[in-house]
Amino acid sequence: MTLTAPGTATPLAPPPRRGSRERPTPGRTLTTTVLVVGVIVWIVPFVWMLLGSVKTQREILQRPPTWWPQELTGDNFAAWFGRLDFGNSVLVAVLTVAGNLVFCSMVGYALAKMDFPGKRALFVVVMVTLMVPGVVTFVPLFVMVSSLGLVDSYAALILPFVTTPLGVFLMRQFMLGIPDPLLEAARIDGAGELRIFARIVMPLCGPPLATLGILTFLASWNNFLWPLVAAQTQDKYTLPVALSLYSTGQNATDYGLLLAGSVLVIAPIIALFVFLQRYFIQGIASTGLK
């Protein structure tokens, strides 16, 4: 049966049948195949790392290699949790993230919603600092920390990174979108700037705070060079430093310990991104970052 539009002789196409599927084209099939192969190539090393972390050293080195562990062991993870390195990494990363969330938000609020002399010059300084590579400031930063007597302390691992120009820029760009009449109404009601910041501005900054938290945690958790120099005793080592020092001996490498440490380094980052990915994407989109 052919349908026609009212007042015309043009036939209308019949509605598509329910359950009918579009026939895959060769291009789409090729794209899907390439993506599936890419995912497999990307994920196989991580699966091998996870399975190898629960194998014994003898099984890891045997030839031909085994895919599934013949004898499960938790000694590799127990060796890491028995040391203070994992706790050091957690402490340094958490305090660094907390410092960035608080101080970068404060500076970003001041640059976005407050008027004071030198505001534009300060923002220019932030942008210029954002363009300076960290290697350039590495030696002056160490000299400063050494002059303050903070070498081989948690303060040396945390304080230089509690505020970053990227975090200030991120929070400032988002806070520019908060309506000024909302803040003016709070000021008319007698609220101070600190109360406005804590009660009004911060609850609206969920997406950029999640983005800043993920980026800061990632940078702090994976930081290797600075903890290697600033932490000069074993009880202050973070996980990446310990991973490079403990798993490689003078004559042999403990691959089980190395794989277990790699799992502990990667797992928190993946878990954090999975739980906060929605806010992370919103924060990137709302601040204009590419």
Side-chain angles (χ1 to χ4, degrees), residues 157-197:
L157 300 175
I158 298 170
L159 291 181
F161 307 103
V162 292
T163 305
T164 58
L166 176 61
V168 173
F169 174 76
L170 186 73
M171 299 306 300
R172 185 251 185 192
Q173 292 301 108
F174 183 86
M175 290 179 182
L176 285 175
I178 298 178
D180 290 331
L182 179 64
L183 307 183
E184 291 297 333
R187 293 188 181 100
I188 293 174
D189 290 339
E193 294 297 334
L194 184 60
R195 186 176 181 182
I196 293 174
F197 172 77

Side-chain angles (χ1 to χ4, degrees), residues 5-66:
T8 65
T10 304
L12 297 179
R17 295 181 180 179
R18 292 184 178 180
S20 61
R21 296 182 178 179
E22 185 179 354
R23 181 175 301 179
T25 62
R28 179 175 298 180
T29 302
L30 178 62
T31 302
T32 303
T33 303
V34 172
L35 291 177
V36 170
V37 172
V39 169
I40 293 175
V41 171
W42 178 82
I43 204 172
V44 163
F46 292 96
V47 175
W48 178 262
M49 176 185 65
L50 182 61
L51 296 176
S53 65
V54 293
K55 293 180 181 179
T56 61
Q57 179 77 352
R58 178 180 57 83
E59 184 178 354
I60 294 176
L61 296 177
Q62 76 178 23
R63 295 292 182 272
T66 59

Side-chain angles (χ1 to χ4, degrees), residues 1 4 22 47 54 63-64 67 72 148 162 215 218 222 225:
M1 180 179 180
T4 59
E22 185 179 354
V47 175
V54 293
R63 295 292 182 272
W67 182 258
L72 293 176
L148 295 174
V162 292
L215 296 178
L218 180 63
N222 291 334
L225 187 58

Side-chain angles (χ1 to χ4, degrees), residues 135-154:
V135 180
V136 175
T137 60
F138 189 88
V139 174
L141 183 61
F142 180 78
V143 172
M144 182 184 302
V145 170
S146 179
S147 301
L148 295 174
L150 299 178
V151 176
D152 196 28
S153 65
Y154 290 114

